[in-house]
Amino acid sequence: MSNARTARFSRRGILAAGGALGLGAVLAACGDGDAKNGGSDSSAAAEASGPWSFKDDRGTTVKLDKVPANIVAFTGAAAALHDYGVQVKGVFGPTNTKDGKADVQAGDMDVSKVTVLGNVWDQFNVEKYATLAPELLVSTTFDDAGTLWYVPEASKDKIAKLAPSVAVSVYDRQLTASLERMWELAESLGGDMKAAKVTDAKKRFEEASERLRKAAKANPDIKVMAGSASPELFYVSGTNLSVDLEYYKALGVNFVEPTEKAKEPTGGWFESLSWENVDKHRADLIIMDDRTSATQPADITEATWKKLPAVKAGQVIGRSAEPILSYDKCVPQIEALAEAIEKAKKVS
């Protein structure tokens, strides 16, 4: 995709609501039809001293003489690997907030112990990346072309020459599929997948999912809207491409679906509404994008927002529009949604 074409889309447009954050919403390219069927060719620490290989969600197999130790990853991917005991040397993507604290996408990582190559969109210090002697780059992908999330278009070729990359897809599939792939990658990199913390988190994920299923079944009339805010627009996310929303919908959650979705170039991610029209859809519960790129509910001053029935009823909760792909980090999101549906009153 040429820079000329991507230039038509603002950074905020790329980073807008729910699934809209994926480059799949704004980049078109030819993908590998078999990308969803990748798998790991190695078995964690047992292979640590021997050859390593992994087939990622682009259908690309990376082969190395040994398990890579110098790993650089998109912040959210690094946070997931951290939960499985795999540490990275460098990260790129939202890592530090303006006040110096760890970004929500950094999870439990100690961000003071990793080299930050870029903290905002289109920022990636290639020279600093080279000094880390990278052996593997890990990121997610939001389109069927396997575009590496937060790897700048302008420098992607230089970055690719320094180390092979692995992509975990979060495009057009349910959350469980992406969680399984990150699990497989972490295991191949030597993660301790039998640690009590890890196995307990997976069990809690299953229990939380069952709770959400029961909550949705018991409250079928509660309409849930996934939103994201900017100073100029309010975005309503569709469920067909976002891994978390697809999963919640499969569990029975009754979602508001946008009627006019983004059309360039793949569509399906979200609908953009002016603040004057923010009341277009009826909703009893609103789940709002919690990333630092989005305006948070407490900071929304528009009167039309404050008049929404769900807002007036206090039925607004956060949502990780880019879930950290570890079971531990997904549990609180599912539990919070289940609880909110259980307690929600019909206000629409």
Side-chain angles (χ1 to χ4, degrees), residues 23-300:
L23 276 180
V26 293
L27 296 178
C30 297
D32 186 333
D34 297 325
K36 292 185 181 182
N37 301 316
S40 172
D41 295 321
S42 52
S43 56
E47 297 291 329
S49 61
W52 178 87
S53 66
F54 189 85
K55 186 177 181 181
D56 75 358
D57 289 337
R58 299 170 299 183
T60 299
T61 299
V62 177
K63 296 181 179 181
L64 300 172
D65 292 337
K66 60 182 178 64
V67 175
N70 292 353
I71 303 170
V72 171
F74 167 67
T75 303
L81 293 174
H82 171 84
D83 284 354
Y84 295 130
V86 179
Q87 308 305 321
V88 305
K89 292 190 67 175
V91 296
F92 55 95
T95 307
N96 297 297
T97 59
K98 293 180 180 179
D99 58 5
K101 297 180 180 179
D103 190 275
V104 64
Q105 294 192 65
D108 292 336
M109 277 195 306
D110 184 344
V111 295
S112 69
K113 295 183 178 179
V114 294
T115 299
V116 180
L117 303 174
N119 197 58
V120 297
W121 182 255
D122 225 23
Q123 183 183 86
F124 192 114
N125 191 319
V126 181
E127 291 73 21
K128 187 180 292 186
Y129 178 53
T131 66
L132 297 177
E135 297 173 299
L136 183 70
L137 182 145
V138 178
S139 190
T140 49
T141 180
F142 281 85
D143 60 23
D144 57 9
T147 307
L148 294 173
W149 189 227
Y150 264 82
V151 172
E153 178 74 16
S155 55
K156 67 178 184 179
D157 292 339
K158 292 180 180 179
I159 293 168
K161 290 178 180 179
L162 294 172
S165 62
V166 162
V168 174
S169 180
V170 287
Y171 175 72
D172 196 18
R173 65 202 62 205
Q174 292 184 24
L175 178 61
T176 44
S178 298
L179 282 168
E180 288 168 4
R181 293 298 286 135
M182 187 62 77
W183 175 289
E184 292 168 2
L185 175 59
E187 184 176 37
S188 79
L189 293 171
D192 185 358
M193 316 313 285
K194 294 182 180 180
K197 179 182 178 181
V198 173
T199 57
D200 176 65
K202 193 171 185 179
K203 180 180 179 182
R204 288 188 293 111
F205 176 87
E206 294 166 353
E207 292 171 346
S209 297
E210 179 61 16
R211 178 183 177 184
L212 179 56
R213 186 191 67 78
K214 290 180 178 178
K217 184 176 182 180
N219 301 276
D221 294 332
I222 296 299
K223 293 283 289 185
V224 180
M225 180 166 66
S228 185
S230 76
E232 299 85 11
L233 296 169
F234 182 81
Y235 305 91
V236 180
S237 294
T239 61
N240 292 331
L241 297 177
S242 300
V243 290
D244 60 329
L245 301 184
E246 282 203 24
Y247 183 55
Y248 301 158
K249 181 173 65 175
L251 292 175
V253 176
N254 184 7
F255 279 102
V256 168
E257 295 289 355
T259 53
E260 297 177 9
K261 300 176 183 177
K263 298 178 181 179
E264 285 285 350
T266 59
W269 286 104
F270 64 100
E271 176 182 10
S272 303
L273 297 175
S274 67
W275 284 105
E276 290 77 11
N277 296 315
V278 73
D279 61 350
K280 178 179 178 179
H281 301 289
R282 294 181 177 274
D284 305 294
L285 172 64
I286 304 175
I287 57 176
M288 290 290 290
D289 184 353
D290 69 358
R291 291 167 305 170
T292 51
S293 59
T295 303
Q296 296 307 299
D299 299 321
I300 299 175

Side-chain angles (χ1 to χ4, degrees), residues 6-16 21 94 119-122 150 235 292-294:
T6 60
R8 299 205 317 268
F9 302 95
S10 70
R11 174 182 175 277
R12 188 173 300 282
I14 295 173
L15 296 178
L21 304 256
N119 197 58
V120 297
W121 182 255
D122 225 23
Y150 264 82
Y235 305 91
T292 51
S293 59

